[in-house]
Amino acid sequence: MVTVSRNSLKLLSIGIGLLFTAAVYYTMHYNPRWDWSAPGVGKLPRDIIAQFMDQAYDKGQGGTAQQSYFAKDAMDNAPAADDRRDGAPVPHEIRDVIAQGMTVAVIHRIGPARGNPQLDVIDVFRIKDGRIVRRDRYPTRFAQ
Amino acid sequence: MANDGKGTAANGSVGSDRVAIALDAATLWRATITLLRLFLGAWMLNSGYSYWAQEFGWPPAFPQPFGTLPASNQMLVTMVEVGLFDFVKTVEVVGGLCLIFGLFVPAATLMLLPVSAVVFYNAVFLNLRTDRLFSPTYMGVSCLYINVIVALAYIRHYLPMLSLRSTPGPLRDLARLPDVFRQPDHDHNT
């Protein structure tokens, strides 16, 4: 049997707790499963898409945006879209954004730019690990 | 063995600030519960901190996971969007700190139980990780197991509120709240 100070035991347990905290932080932070370079890591899917659109349309930096926001093996059924190339800003009017889980649907009117006519589309994005892994573009025509 | 509550015991108080520890099963049990409590606290603190860290632009331990399968994605994203995660992650930080610093441990353990239960539900029923149902290294399930074990170890603190029959007390009972700071639990070594 050993006799120890109650305060020493208390301090020891707090020390072990803080050690556990540091160990959990270190183990999780340096876990290779996280891609810390992804621009949307830990962010909500709708926020990731909003940032992508800001860069690709409002700033006209689609080439840069697609390199950072689209995953390397991403599927995109509109590979020639203006939002994947750098150039003049592309005016667009977002009519609605519908997000559910990791899927974000953007209903928007893309204004005439870079020699292309106006286009009404529904872009459906799928997010994984902070990047866009799929984009399905559905051309449509708004009533107004 | 348990402290007899009257002073010196094989594994109990030998004075106001000293405690005798016998190398027996009771000590092993208490040490195990203490380590589980501390680990649960460390995990909860990291989980809660990581969420708030990203909100404030600090380096998180890990990015907020949004699940693997659609139902899990939907639940977690919605919880963040409607602001419920602000509440959940605050509970994790406060509860985690309480467990690590040994303050209000029974209350903190109880407070964290619904969080652990939802984590378990998300892992097993929404992400279908039944393959890791008994994996001790998978905190998606282990945090609930640890939480329940720690709660059971503190069950004597819950017994009064599990009364079969009870009556409400007067409002002046609120004046007894400061007592929680004046009653050290000398049945515990840590």
Side-chain angles (χ1 to χ4, degrees), chain A residues 112-141:
Chain A
R114 303 180 187 174
N116 295 321
Q118 176 179 289
L119 190 62
D120 294 341
V121 299
I122 301 170
D123 279 328
V124 180
F125 297 93
R126 175 83 187 158
I127 305 293
K128 188 180 178 191
D129 296 333
R131 283 199 164 91
I132 299 165
V133 291
R134 185 183 179 98
R135 191 259 294 271
D136 291 298
R137 168 163 285 187
Y138 301 97
T140 183
R141 182 180 291 274

Side-chain angles (χ1 to χ4, degrees), chain A residues 4-14, chain B residues 19 21 189-190:
Chain A
V4 292
S5 153
R6 199 177 294 278
N7 284 339
S8 300
L9 271 182
K10 190 85 177 165
L11 287 175
L12 177 65
S13 75
I14 292 173
Chain B
V19 63
I21 301 174
N189 294 336
T190 56

Side-chain angles (χ1 to χ4, degrees), chain A residues 64 76 85:
Chain A
T64 312
D76 187 356
R85 296 199 307 273

Side-chain angles (χ1 to χ4, degrees), chain B residues 121-144:
Chain B
Y121 179 82
N122 178 60
V124 175
F125 293 97
L126 300 186
N127 281 316
L128 306 179
R129 296 308 305 267
T130 49
D131 57 317
R132 302 196 68 186
L133 200 54
F134 301 107
S135 169
T137 58
Y138 181 43
M139 285 305 285
V141 296
S142 290
C143 71
L144 179 62

Side-chain angles (χ1 to χ4, degrees), chain B residues 98-180:
Chain B
C98 285
L99 293 192
I100 290 170
F101 286 93
L103 302 169
F104 304 111
V105 171
T109 304
L110 208 57
M111 185 173 73
L112 290 170
L113 206 47
V115 176
S116 300
V118 173
V119 170
F120 180 88
Y121 179 82
N122 178 60
V124 175
F125 293 97
L126 300 186
N127 281 316
L128 306 179
R129 296 308 305 267
T130 49
D131 57 317
R132 302 196 68 186
L133 200 54
F134 301 107
S135 169
T137 58
Y138 181 43
M139 285 305 285
V141 296
S142 290
C143 71
L144 179 62
Y145 303 155
I146 295 173
N147 210 151
V148 169
I149 292 169
V150 173
L152 288 175
Y154 285 86
I155 195 162
R156 66 201 175 94
H157 294 275
Y158 306 130
L159 290 177
M161 75 177 190
L162 295 175
S163 306
L164 178 63
R165 296 186 179 84
S166 56
T167 54
L171 272 178
R172 65 172 176 273
D173 282 355
L174 288 172
R176 296 172 56 194
L177 273 176
D179 290 352
V180 301

